[in-house]
C-alpha cells in the first residue's frame, strides 16, 4: 500500500509525463491558483471504477477466502 500511494518518489525519478503514476496524474489537475474539480472528480471516478467492478465480479471468492482462512484442516 505504501508503494501504491507513493507520490514523491515517482515525482522525483520520472521525467517523462507518460510514465507518471495515477496519484501524480490526479495532482496535475490542481494548480497554485485554481483546481479543476470537475475534471479531477471525473478522473478519480475513472481510476476507481475498474477496481470496484473487479471487486463485484470476484466478491464471492473474496468473501469465501476470508471466511475459510481461519479454518485449519
Amino acid at each position: 500500500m505504501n508503494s501504491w500511494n507513493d507520490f514523491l518518489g515517482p515525482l522525483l525519478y520520472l521525467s517523462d509525463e507518460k510514465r507518471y503514476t495515477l496519484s501524480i496524474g490526479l495532482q496535475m489537475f490542481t494548480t497554485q491558483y485554481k483546481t479543476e474539480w470537475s475534471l479531477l472528480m471525473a478522473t478519480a471516478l475513472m481510476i476507481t471504477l475498474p477496481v470496484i467492478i473487479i471487486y463485484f465480479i470476484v466478491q464471492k471468492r473474496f468473501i469465501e477466502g476470508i471466511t475459510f482462512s481461519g479454518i485449519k484442516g
Side-chain angles (χ1 to χ4, degrees), residues 37-55:
W37 288 106
S38 59
L39 295 175
L40 183 68
M41 292 299 135
T43 306
L45 176 68
M46 295 304 290
I47 289 171
T48 57
L49 200 58
V51 176
I52 292 171
I53 291 171
I54 290 171
Y55 174 75

Side-chain angles (χ1 to χ4, degrees), residues 2 18 23 32 37 40 57 61 64 66:
N2 219 6
K18 292 180 181 179
S23 58
Q32 184 176 358
W37 288 106
L40 183 68
I57 291 172
R61 293 186 184 199
E64 285 176 359
I66 292 173

Side-chain angles (χ1 to χ4, degrees), residues 4-17:
W4 183 264
N5 292 328
D6 189 17
F7 181 79
L8 190 58
L11 187 61
L12 292 174
Y13 302 130
L14 298 175
S15 58
D16 186 14
E17 288 185 9

Side-chain angles (χ1 to χ4, degrees), residues 67-73:
T67 304
F68 292 125
S69 66
I71 299 175
K72 295 183 179 180

